[in-house]
Amino acid sequence: MQTKIVTIGDEILIGQITDTNSAWLGRRLNAAGIKVAEIISIQDNKEQIKKTLDKALNECEIVLVTGGLGPTKDDITKTCLAELFSCELVRDDKTYRFLETMLKERSIEFNELNRSQASVPSCCTVLPNSNGTAPGMWFERGGHVLVSMPGVPFEMKMLFEEEVLPRLKRYFSLKTIVHKTAITFGLPESILAETIASWENTLPRYIRLAYLPNPNGIRLRLSAYEMDGTAVAAEIDRRFDELQTIIPDYFLGFDDATIESSLAGMLLRHKKTLSVAESCTGGSIAQRFTAMAGASDYFLGGVVSYSNEMKENILHVSHETLVKYGAVSEQVACQMAEGIRRITSSDYSIATTGIAGPTGGTDEKPVGTVWMAIATPEGTFAEKRIFGHLREQNIARATSFATNMLRMHILSSEKKK
Amino acid sequence: MQTKIVTIGDEILIGQITDTNSAWLGRRLNAAGIKVAEIISIQDNKEQIKKTLDKALNECEIVLVTGGLGPTKDDITKTCLAELFSCELVRDDKTYRFLETMLKERSIEFNELNRSQASVPSCCTVLPNSNGTAPGMWFERGGHVLVSMPGVPFEMKMLFEEEVLPRLKRYFSLKTIVHKTAITFGLPESILAETIASWENTLPRYIRLAYLPNPNGIRLRLSAYEMDGTAVAAEIDRRFDELQTIIPDYFLGFDDATIESSLAGMLLRHKKTLSVAESCTGGSIAQRFTAMAGASDYFLGGVVSYSNEMKENILHVSHETLVKYGAVSEQVACQMAEGIRRITSSDYSIATTGIAGPTGGTDEKPVGTVWMAIATPEGTFAEKRIFGHLREQNIARATSFATNMLRMHILSSEKKK
C-alpha cells in the first residue's frame, strides 16, 4: 500500500520551521504497518497544492496532509480541497459550537477569523480537533483516502491518534512491518561495521540492516516487511541478543534508548541518586534527565555554575585551585563533581567545565576543550576531550560524553560484582 | 529558477530521524536568492532514487541531494548517481589521501569500508568534505546542476557553505528574495490578526504576510520576490516599524529573536546579571541562555532544585513554607527566586516550580500547574498558570512564560524612566 505525506507551508520551504510532523507520522504509521513511500513539502500556492494532492491521490491509497489550516489569509489548504473535490465550503455546526465554547473558556473573542474555522468542504467527514480551532477533514475518492490535519504538532498528534489512525485501520487491511532499532554509543561507524561484519553477514535475507548515525550514537535498525509479524519479531530479537554479546559496552538499548535513559535505568535498578554540576553544558545534562517522566525518583538536582563565584560559593571549589589551574581543568572538574555530590548527598554526580566557544579559547586550551568528571562511591574520575569549534555541538557532545562516563563506570562496577 | 531538495534514507520515512537538513538548506538558499519549490524525502531504494533524481533534474535547475553516502551497505546513493549519469565509480586520489590522514589522526583503522568512500562517479566534480569521510559530488546535465552531499548535518552544512553555495552563485545568475520575520509572544493568533488587521490591509500587493505560530510565539513574515532588493528591504523595515508601535509589548525582535535573546539584549544594555532557580523546568531556562554565545557576560548560573532538600539547603526556602504551602506554591516560587538572587548577587532571577506530569497532580493542583516568580530590584512577583497535561509542552511553556515575565517587567521599568 502506497502512502504519501504532504506538508504545506512556505515556512517549511524557506526553512523557518523544521517539519517534525512527518517524522512523527512516519513512526506512527510504520508501527501500524503502513509504509511511507514519500514525504513531500510544498508551498502555500493554490496550483501546486491542487496538482500535488491530485497526483498523490491518484498514486497512493493514503495521503496525509498537514498545515495551511490556520485562520489567516495565507492558509489556503481548505479552499484548495474544496476545489479539488468539487464541493462548497459550508458551516459545520458541531465545530462552530465547539469553537464558541473553547474560545469563551480561554477568554478569546469569537471573531470573524475564528468563525471561518468552522467552514469545511461539504463532501468531507469532519474529524473533531479537541486541542485547537482547525478541525481535521477526511476525504475519499475511488477507494483512496486523503486526510487534512492542522500543522501545529500537538494538535496534529492528538487528532491522528484519536481520529485518523483508528479510521485508517478500519478502512484498510494492513500488512505487518517489523522494525527494531538498537542504539550504540562510543564506536565510530566504520569500526562498528567492521566489528559486527560477521554478525551482519549471517542475517537472513528477509531482514535488512541499516546504520543511522547521529551525535548521540549510531543506531542499528533491523527491518522486515510483509512477513509473519510474531515470528519475525522473535528472530530480530534473537539477532540483537547476539549483537549485544559482541559489543556489550557500546549497547545502550532499543528504540528510544539514550545514554541518559540507559543510565536512569541503572540508577533506578540500584536505587541510587544523581546530581550534576554544569559549567560549559549550562543545564543541558539536567535538562536531558528532567525531560524524562519520573526523573524525581533518582535526580536530586544540579547547579549551573557559570561564574567562578558560583563554583566557589555553592560548590566549594577552592579559590586556589581556580587561580592555579584555571576553571577549565581536571582539578576544578573533580572538585565540582565532589562538591555537588557532597551538598546533595547523592550517590553519583557528573560535572563539566570547558570552553564551548565561539570565543574564549587559548593556545593551551582551544575552543572545544572540556574537562568532565564523575564522583562515585568508588572515587572521582576525570577525562578531557577537545571536541571542535561549534558551540552547539560542543555542548551536545560534552553532555553525551560526560553522561556516558558515568554509565560506563556503573556498568564496569556491575561486572566486578 | 526551480530548486528541489531531495533527502534519501529509510530512516526519514519511518521517522527515526527528523530531516533538519532541508530546513537549514531552505534558509540558506533563500538568503542567497534561490527559492525552493519542493522538498521530497524518499527511501533507500535504487529505482525510486534514480526515478526521483531524473525527474527532479528534468524539472529543476538545481537539485540538492542529501544522505545515503555512508560507508555501509544500505547507502546506495553513489551507485545510483553513477548509473543515472552513465559513468563508472573510480578512486579519487585526493579524497583517498585525505581519508588516510584523517583516520590516522583519529586512530581509526583505514579499512575496506573507509577506502570505498574515496570512490566516486567519474563524471562528477568532487567537493572535498573536510569534516567527514564522504565527499560531496557536483553533476551537470543540460545546464542543470545536481549536488550530492552527506546527510550528517554538520558535514553537510560546512560543505554547503564552503563548496556548494559559492559554485551555485557562480553558475547561476540569481534573483533577489527579501524575507524578514518579526517575532511576537503573548497574543493568540486570532487576536493578533485582529489587532493588526488595518496594518495588514495597507501592505502593498508585492509584499506577502505569513503567520507562523509555534510554542515560542507567533512569527510574522513579510516576503517580496524578484524585486529591487534594497528598496523592498527598506519598505519592509518601514512596515515593521509601524507594526512595532501597534504591539510594542508583544514584539520580541526579528528573525532568530527569542524571548531569551530579547531579555539577554536588555540585560547587556543595562549591564545587569541574571540567575535562575528551576524545579519543574529542570535546567531548561539555564540551557536556553547558555546555548547563546556570550551568555557568561550576564548569566551567572542557576540551581536545578529538583528535590525539596535542595530547595531548603541551597536556596534556603523555609522548611515551614514547604510544609504549609507545598513545593508548588506562590510562596516557594518567590523564596526560590529570592534565594538564588541573594546567593549569586545577581540583579534579577527567575524561578519555576510546578507539576510537569504525566503524574503527580492532585485535584487542587492538577498536572500542568506551575508557579513562576521573578526577583528584581523592584520586588518579587509571581504568577500561576495551568498549562496542560503533556510533560514536554509544560516544560517548554513554563520556560517561555517565566522568561517572558522578566522581559515584560524590565520593559515596563524602562518605560517608567
Side-chain angles (χ1 to χ4, degrees):
Chain A
M1 186 159 50
Q2 292 288 309
T3 300
K4 205 182 268 204
I5 298 174
V6 181
T7 63
I8 299 174
D10 289 354
E11 65 272 25
I12 296 168
L13 295 159
I14 69 158
Q16 216 138 11
I17 65 162
T18 298
D19 169 28
T20 56
N21 284 340
S22 297
W24 185 89
L25 280 171
R27 215 151 46 232
R28 294 296 298 125
L29 288 165
N30 254 274
I34 301 171
K35 197 170 165 183
V36 177
E38 200 172 286
I39 299 168
I40 183 163
S41 301
I42 56 172
Q43 305 168 77
D44 290 310
N45 172 299
K46 199 179 247 192
E47 288 318 306
Q48 199 185 5
I49 293 174
K50 282 167 65 180
K51 198 178 139 195
T52 304
L53 296 185
D54 190 48
K55 182 165 173 284
L57 202 52
N58 286 336
E59 291 172 356
C60 299
E61 282 89 345
I62 302 175
V63 180
L64 297 178
V65 185
T66 64
L69 297 181
T72 50
K73 286 182 189 172
D74 56 310
D75 291 312
I76 55 172
T77 303
K78 210 152 59 177
T79 320
C80 294
L81 287 167
E83 290 181 17
L84 180 65
F85 291 98
S86 310
C87 60
E88 299 287 309
L89 286 174
V90 293
R91 175 190 288 185
D92 182 62
D93 287 331
K94 214 173 139 191
T95 304
Y96 190 89
R97 286 192 302 274
F98 169 77
L99 288 177
E100 201 169 29
T101 312
M102 185 184 74
L103 293 174
K104 201 174 169 192
E105 277 172 8
R106 298 192 188 173
S107 312
I108 298 176
E109 191 202 341
F110 192 36
N111 63 12
E112 190 51 50
L113 288 175
N114 285 321
R115 275 198 292 272
S116 76
Q117 294 283 76
S119 292
V120 297
S122 59
C123 54
C124 80
T125 306
V126 174
L127 310 179
N129 170 6
S130 50
N131 296 285
T133 54
M137 293 170 280
W138 172 285
F139 299 87
E140 295 174 14
R141 190 173 84 182
H144 292 197
V145 169
L146 183 149
V147 187
S148 163
M149 297 178 285
V152 179
F154 87 93
E155 293 182 24
M156 184 282 291
K157 289 177 187 175
M158 302 292 261
L159 190 71
F160 182 80
E161 296 289 5
E162 290 171 6
E163 298 286 338
V164 181
L165 188 57
R167 281 167 198 267
L168 288 175
K169 280 184 174 167
R170 281 197 300 274
Y171 197 88
F172 295 101
S173 67
L174 307 173
K175 288 179 180 160
T176 307
I177 300 182
V178 182
H179 285 296
K180 192 168 182 177
T181 305
I183 320 291
T184 76
F185 183 83
L187 282 180
E189 184 171 3
S190 60
I191 301 302
L192 177 65
E194 205 173 50
T195 310
I196 67 172
S198 57
W199 172 81
E200 179 175 354
N201 289 332
T202 64
L203 290 175
R205 286 190 55 181
Y206 61 88
I207 297 183
R208 276 180 74 179
L209 171 68
Y211 286 76
L212 314 169
N214 85 354
N216 295 317
I218 293 166
R219 289 167 296 170
L220 299 171
R221 188 188 66 227
L222 293 180
S223 314
Y225 295 86
E226 304 185 16
M227 305 284 299
D228 170 351
T230 319
V232 166
E235 181 61 23
I236 285 180
D237 282 345
R238 206 178 65 73
R239 298 289 169 169
F240 272 137
D241 285 346
E242 280 176 24
L243 180 70
Q244 206 167 347
T245 64
I246 302 170
I247 49 165
D249 292 352
Y250 306 102
F251 197 96
L252 294 183
F254 294 102
D255 297 323
D256 293 333
T258 57
I259 303 168
E260 54 274 13
S261 74
S262 165
L263 178 54
M266 290 176 177
L267 293 169
L268 287 169
R269 212 158 54 234
H270 298 300
K271 297 195 169 47
K272 301 291 182 191
T273 55
L274 174 68
S275 61
V276 298
E278 305 185 59
S279 184
C280 67
T281 52
S284 230
I285 302 181
Q287 187 269 324
R288 282 207 200 164
F289 282 101
T290 57
M292 295 184 284
S296 51
D297 291 340
Y298 58 86
F299 185 72
L300 302 183
V303 167
V304 180
S305 56
Y306 228 55
S307 66
N308 278 353
E309 288 68 29
M310 276 196 79
K311 292 186 183 77
E312 289 184 38
N313 298 343
I314 302 189
L315 296 172
H316 306 127
V317 173
S318 115
H319 183 73
E320 289 67 39
T321 307
L322 276 165
V323 172
K324 188 166 173 194
Y325 299 101
V328 179
S329 62
E330 177 173 9
Q331 291 79 3
V332 168
C334 289
Q335 288 188 22
M336 286 171 66
E338 287 164 1
I340 192 71
R341 180 168 179 259
R342 199 169 50 239
I343 295 165
T344 60
S345 305
S346 66
D347 298 298
Y348 296 100
S349 69
I350 303 172
T352 62
T353 178
I355 302 147
T359 58
T362 62
D363 282 352
E364 204 195 335
K365 295 175 184 174
V367 165
T369 306
V370 183
W371 271 101
M372 293 154 287
I374 55 172
T376 79
E378 294 78 37
T380 304
F381 309 93
E383 288 201 48
K384 183 177 90 165
R385 282 293 179 282
I386 302 174
F387 289 117
H389 40 271
L390 303 175
R391 183 179 182 88
E392 188 185 338
Q393 208 185 336
N394 288 336
I395 293 174
R397 286 188 171 184
T399 300
S400 295
F401 190 94
T403 310
N404 195 50
M405 276 176 69
L406 183 56
R407 190 188 70 84
M408 296 284 275
H409 173 80
I410 299 180
L411 204 62
S412 92
S413 306
E414 283 176 349
K415 281 186 200 156
K416 282 182 193 143
K417 275 171 195 163
Chain B
M1 186 159 49
Q2 291 288 309
T3 299
K4 205 182 267 202
I5 298 174
V6 181
T7 63
I8 298 175
D10 289 354
E11 66 272 25
I12 295 168
L13 295 159
I14 70 161
Q16 217 139 11
I17 65 163
T18 298
D19 169 27
T20 57
N21 284 340
S22 297
W24 186 89
L25 280 172
R27 214 149 49 230
R28 295 295 297 124
L29 288 165
N30 254 273
I34 301 170
K35 197 170 166 183
V36 178
E38 201 173 284
I39 299 168
I40 182 163
S41 300
I42 56 173
Q43 305 169 77
D44 290 310
N45 173 298
K46 199 179 247 193
E47 288 319 306
Q48 199 186 4
I49 293 174
K50 282 166 65 180
K51 198 176 139 196
T52 304
L53 295 185
D54 190 48
K55 181 164 173 284
L57 202 51
N58 285 337
E59 291 172 356
C60 300
E61 283 88 345
I62 302 176
V63 180
L64 296 178
V65 185
T66 63
L69 296 181
T72 50
K73 288 181 189 172
D74 57 310
D75 291 312
I76 56 172
T77 302
K78 210 153 58 178
T79 320
C80 293
L81 288 168
E83 290 180 18
L84 180 64
F85 291 96
S86 310
C87 60
E88 299 288 307
L89 286 174
V90 294
R91 174 191 288 185
D92 180 61
D93 286 330
K94 214 172 141 190
T95 305
Y96 189 88
R97 285 192 303 274
F98 168 77
L99 289 177
E100 200 169 30
T101 311
M102 185 184 74
L103 295 173
K104 202 174 167 190
E105 277 173 5
R106 297 192 188 173
S107 310
I108 299 175
E109 193 201 339
F110 192 36
N111 62 13
E112 191 51 48
L113 288 175
N114 285 321
R115 274 198 292 272
S116 76
Q117 296 282 77
S119 292
V120 297
S122 59
C123 54
C124 79
T125 305
V126 174
L127 309 180
N129 170 6
S130 51
N131 296 287
T133 56
M137 292 169 283
W138 172 286
F139 299 87
E140 296 174 14
R141 191 173 83 183
H144 292 198
V145 169
L146 182 150
V147 187
S148 163
M149 296 178 285
V152 178
F154 85 94
E155 294 182 23
M156 185 281 292
K157 289 176 187 175
M158 301 292 260
L159 191 71
F160 182 81
E161 296 290 4
E162 290 170 7
E163 299 286 340
V164 181
L165 187 57
R167 280 167 198 267
L168 288 175
K169 281 184 173 167
R170 281 197 301 272
Y171 197 88
F172 295 100
S173 67
L174 308 173
K175 288 178 180 162
T176 306
I177 300 182
V178 182
H179 285 297
K180 191 167 182 177
T181 305
I183 320 291
T184 77
F185 183 85
L187 283 179
E189 185 171 2
S190 60
I191 302 303
L192 177 65
E194 207 172 49
T195 311
I196 67 173
S198 57
W199 171 82
E200 180 175 354
N201 289 332
T202 64
L203 288 175
R205 286 191 55 182
Y206 61 88
I207 296 183
R208 277 180 72 179
L209 171 68
Y211 286 76
L212 314 169
N214 86 355
N216 294 318
I218 293 166
R219 289 168 297 171
L220 299 171
R221 188 187 66 228
L222 293 180
S223 313
Y225 295 86
E226 305 185 17
M227 303 287 296
D228 171 350
T230 319
V232 166
E235 181 61 23
I236 285 180
D237 282 345
R238 205 177 67 73
R239 298 289 168 168
F240 273 136
D241 285 347
E242 280 175 26
L243 179 70
Q244 206 167 345
T245 63
I246 303 170
I247 50 165
D249 291 351
Y250 305 102
F251 197 95
L252 294 183
F254 293 102
D255 297 321
D256 293 332
T258 57
I259 304 168
E260 54 274 13
S261 74
S262 165
L263 178 54
M266 290 176 176
L267 293 169
L268 286 169
R269 213 158 50 234
H270 298 300
K271 295 195 171 50
K272 301 292 182 191
T273 56
L274 173 68
S275 62
V276 299
E278 304 186 61
S279 185
C280 67
T281 52
S284 232
I285 302 181
Q287 188 267 326
R288 281 206 200 164
F289 282 101
T290 58
M292 294 184 285
S296 51
D297 291 340
Y298 58 88
F299 185 72
L300 301 182
V303 166
V304 181
S305 56
Y306 229 56
S307 66
N308 277 352
E309 288 69 28
M310 275 195 81
K311 292 186 183 75
E312 290 183 38
N313 298 342
I314 301 188
L315 296 173
H316 307 128
V317 172
S318 114
H319 183 74
E320 289 66 42
T321 308
L322 276 165
V323 172
K324 188 167 173 193
Y325 301 101
V328 179
S329 62
E330 177 173 9
Q331 292 79 359
V332 169
C334 289
Q335 288 189 21
M336 286 172 66
E338 288 164 1
I340 193 70
R341 179 167 179 259
R342 199 169 48 238
I343 295 165
T344 60
S345 306
S346 66
D347 298 298
Y348 296 100
S349 69
I350 302 171
T352 62
T353 178
I355 302 148
T359 57
T362 62
D363 282 352
E364 203 195 335
K365 295 175 185 175
V367 165
T369 306
V370 182
W371 271 102
M372 293 154 287
I374 55 172
T376 80
E378 295 78 37
T380 304
F381 310 93
E383 289 200 48
K384 184 177 89 164
R385 282 292 179 282
I386 301 174
F387 289 117
H389 41 271
L390 302 174
R391 183 179 183 87
E392 188 185 338
Q393 210 186 333
N394 288 337
I395 293 175
R397 285 189 173 184
T399 299
S400 294
F401 190 94
T403 309
N404 196 50
M405 276 174 69
L406 183 55
R407 189 187 72 83
M408 297 284 276
H409 173 80
I410 299 181
L411 205 61
S412 92
S413 306
E414 282 176 349
K415 281 186 200 154
K416 283 182 195 143
K417 276 170 193 165

